[in-house]
Amino acid sequence: MMTYFDPEIYNKYNLSPNDRAQIGLYENIINNALENARSEYAYISKNEKNPLEVSIAQKQLEAIKMVEDNLAANLQDVVVAFIESYDEEEFEKYQAAGREEREKNKLKESQASEEHDER
């Protein structure tokens, strides 16, 4: 059971490939649903003439943000549960692979940034 949240340990990079794919699927489903709702209420709040409907749409946008934050926290709980289920050897293997991937990503980002700066 997790007693202290350490983002260096409890992140999706330290998951098994299957667990990471599952989290990615959950993220996509959640993000698509939230974006559909957000775009509908954003359209209403910008284009509706009735002030009451505009107010309701704006409140719904606020509620969507709250739901989004809550779902992100719940998804993080799933990441923690996956990681907590690994034995020490499994976790160390996934953590090493995750560390390597993060370093590669940072290198790619810095190279892209340097290329952008040169232009």
Side-chain angles (χ1 to χ4, degrees), residues 104 106-116:
K104 286 179 184 177
K106 285 180 184 177
L107 182 60
K108 286 179 186 177
E109 288 174 10
S110 75
Q111 289 172 342
S113 178
E114 288 173 7
E115 288 175 9
H116 184 271

Side-chain angles (χ1 to χ4, degrees), residues 17-77:
N18 288 338
D19 291 344
R20 192 189 303 189
Q22 192 171 356
I23 290 294
L25 175 64
Y26 296 157
E27 286 175 331
N28 286 336
I29 291 169
I30 289 167
N31 289 335
N32 287 339
L34 290 170
E35 188 53 39
N36 286 339
R38 191 178 0 261
S39 65
E40 180 68 26
Y41 287 115
Y43 178 82
I44 291 170
S45 71
K46 290 179 182 168
N47 296 306
E48 183 58 47
K49 303 284 187 247
N50 182 333
L52 180 59
E53 287 188 39
V54 170
S55 178
I56 291 170
Q58 289 170 341
K59 289 291 183 192
Q60 291 292 30
L61 286 169
E62 292 171 16
I64 290 169
K65 177 63 178 144
M66 186 176 68
V67 167
E68 181 177 29
D69 293 343
N70 189 295
L71 287 171
N74 288 329
L75 203 53
Q76 183 61 47
D77 290 344

